[in-house]
């Protein structure tokens, strides 16, 4: 089983996470931000991961540190769980509808961090969640996982649906890219490393 445990503590957040890539979508998540918990639960479910995550953050300031640092920890966990990346599919693209919203997400488990994030039209809040932190979460994840990630919203009007489409798609695309194909031998790069 490909998995990783990360504990990270700063003056702003204390986070513990256990991530398994080859799971059944089961999660236990508590960040203190209800909508964010909902999104990470969906990501885990549709990525068929297993995730136990707790974040005790400085929510009396705002949600920024909690969301960004959770992205850092999950990115670190994903990278560590993948190991040397031997046999993985590496590339994946998914289209995910959520009622009237539709997102396109593509990933390359490249070893190089790069985020493209084209999502417009979000209201400021979903529940208590500051929706501008969605981009911060993905940037933190990308930088610490070492992946190239393109998130493009095609259309959508409801903020909850738009972000839900993105988190479901993110789980799906990571699952596909991390999947091991019996036809791929070794590291899937002509350079021999990722
Ligand atoms: Mn929902």
């Amino acid at each position: 089983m490909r998995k990783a445990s990360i504990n990270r503590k700063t003056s702003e957040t204390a986070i513990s996470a256990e991530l398994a890539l080859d799971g059944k979508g089961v999660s236990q998540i508590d960040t203190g931000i209800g909508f964010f918990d909902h999104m990470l639960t969906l990501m885990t479910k549709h990525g068929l991961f297993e995730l136990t995550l707790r974040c005790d953050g400085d929510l009396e300031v705002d949600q920024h540190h909690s969301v960004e640092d959770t992205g850092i920890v999950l990115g670190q966990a994903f990278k560590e769980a993948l190991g040397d990346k031997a046999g993985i599919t590496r590339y994946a693209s998914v289209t995910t509808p959520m009622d009237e919203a539709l997102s396109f997400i593509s990933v390359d488990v490249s070893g190089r961090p790069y985020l493209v994030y084209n999502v417009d039209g979000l209201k400021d809040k979903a529940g208590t969640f500051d929706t501008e932190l969605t981009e911060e979460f993905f940037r933190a994840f990308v930088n610490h996982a070492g992946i190239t990630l393109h998130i493009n919203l095609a259309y959508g009007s409801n903020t909850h649906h738009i972000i839900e489409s993105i988190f479901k798609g993110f789980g799906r695309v990571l699952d596909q890219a991390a999947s091991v194909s019996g036809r791929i031998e070794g590291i899937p790069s002509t350079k021999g490393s990722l």
Side-chain angles (χ1 to χ4, degrees):
M1 186 104 148
R2 297 176 297 172
K3 60 185 178 182
S5 293
I6 307 278
N7 287 288
R8 182 180 189 273
K9 193 172 188 330
T10 71
S11 60
E12 297 168 343
T13 62
I15 301 175
S16 62
E18 284 179 49
L19 174 70
L21 299 182
D22 307 297
K24 293 183 174 176
V26 177
S27 60
Q28 195 177 338
I29 293 162
D30 184 2
T31 66
I33 307 166
F35 182 80
F36 190 41
D37 290 352
H38 180 39
M39 293 302 108
L40 296 175
T41 300
L42 294 170
M43 177 195 80
T44 305
K45 179 76 176 176
H46 295 282
L48 295 169
F49 306 133
E50 284 182 19
L51 176 63
T52 302
L53 183 136
R54 181 175 176 87
C55 173
D56 290 301
D58 56 355
L59 295 176
E60 71 281 4
V61 176
D62 65 11
Q63 300 173 347
H64 196 114
H65 303 136
S66 292
V67 174
E68 181 176 19
D69 292 1
T70 296
I72 289 171
V73 165
L74 287 177
Q76 289 173 338
F78 183 73
K79 182 178 183 184
E80 188 177 318
L82 272 181
D84 68 1
K85 302 171 188 157
I88 66 166
T89 301
R90 180 177 167 179
Y91 292 96
S93 293
V94 304
T95 304
T96 310
M98 172 66 220
D99 289 357
E100 87 298 339
L102 188 77
S103 65
F104 300 121
I105 304 186
S106 295
V107 72
D108 174 12
V109 182
S110 56
R112 295 190 306 279
Y114 202 100
L115 176 68
V116 173
Y117 182 85
N118 293 316
V119 179
D120 293 322
L122 297 179
K123 292 198 167 60
D124 290 346
K125 298 273 190 185
T128 66
F129 179 69
D130 298 323
T131 61
E132 68 175 4
L133 299 178
T134 308
E135 182 173 3
E136 300 307 311
F137 170 81
F138 287 112
R139 178 163 293 109
F141 188 104
V142 160
N143 285 342
H144 289 81
I147 63 172
T148 303
L149 181 69
H150 290 232
I151 299 174
N152 287 289
L153 178 70
Y155 45 77
S157 56
N158 180 280
T159 292
H160 187 124
H161 290 165
I162 290 169
I163 300 174
E164 185 161 324
S165 160
I166 291 168
F167 272 88
K168 284 177 170 173
F170 183 56
R172 297 176 63 224
V173 85
L174 287 184
D175 180 51
Q176 290 181 25
S179 68
V180 174
S181 163
R183 292 170 57 210
I184 300 170
E185 291 184 5
I187 311 296
S189 167
T190 54
K191 289 186 291 195
S193 74
L194 284 173

